[in-house]
Amino acid sequence: YVQFSVTTPYPGTELYKLAISRGIILSDVWKEFSQLPKVSFVPPLWTEYLSREELLDKLKSSYKRFYLSPWFMFREIFKIRSFRELLVKIRAALQLLRKGGK
């Protein structure tokens, strides 16, 4: 199995300081969030070369390429030991197709 992620600069890290100094993050968003938390808060991503949308699209496509590849699916089919397990795997694949692996 794999885990993909998009780089998120967190406060107190060198990456966060660099993101602010390069203008990738326009303000201290984590400080603002800690002072006034909102449900709608979206953590910043490292968007120096690609937009947020492009990064998230690449994240989704990476999951799809891995989990929907013929070799992975073939291997997983032979691990199935029950009808219930088959249903779980089918649901997971459908969710990956619909939501893009979110």
Side-chain angles (χ1 to χ4, degrees), residues 14-67:
E14 290 300 315
L15 188 62
Y16 191 71
K17 294 173 193 169
L18 185 61
I20 289 176
S21 72
R22 288 192 183 177
I24 294 166
I25 298 175
L26 302 177
S27 64
D28 193 346
V29 294
W30 288 103
K31 182 178 180 182
E32 295 164 10
F33 175 72
S34 69
Q35 293 171 346
L36 184 62
K38 295 181 181 178
V39 176
S40 61
F41 176 73
V42 177
L45 301 178
W46 189 270
T47 56
E48 185 173 13
Y49 302 108
L50 298 171
S51 71
R52 179 179 201 84
E53 294 76 25
E54 290 171 317
L55 289 168
L56 295 177
D57 283 345
K58 292 206 177 284
L59 181 66
K60 290 175 190 177
S61 69
S62 296
Y63 277 110
K64 285 182 180 181
R65 284 184 60 204
F66 181 84
Y67 286 112

Side-chain angles (χ1 to χ4, degrees), residues 46-98:
W46 189 270
T47 56
E48 185 173 13
Y49 302 108
L50 298 171
S51 71
R52 179 179 201 84
E53 294 76 25
E54 290 171 317
L55 289 168
L56 295 177
D57 283 345
K58 292 206 177 284
L59 181 66
K60 290 175 190 177
S61 69
S62 296
Y63 277 110
K64 285 182 180 181
R65 284 184 60 204
F66 181 84
Y67 286 112
L68 299 178
S69 68
W71 69 266
F72 182 84
M73 292 173 68
F74 183 76
R75 191 182 77 180
E76 290 300 303
I77 287 170
F78 283 98
K79 289 183 183 178
I80 296 171
R81 298 292 175 238
S82 69
F83 183 71
R84 180 165 195 202
E85 190 176 345
L86 173 64
L87 291 178
V88 167
K89 292 191 182 285
I90 289 172
R91 283 189 199 122
L94 291 174
Q95 182 178 4
L96 186 63
L97 287 170
R98 279 193 306 259

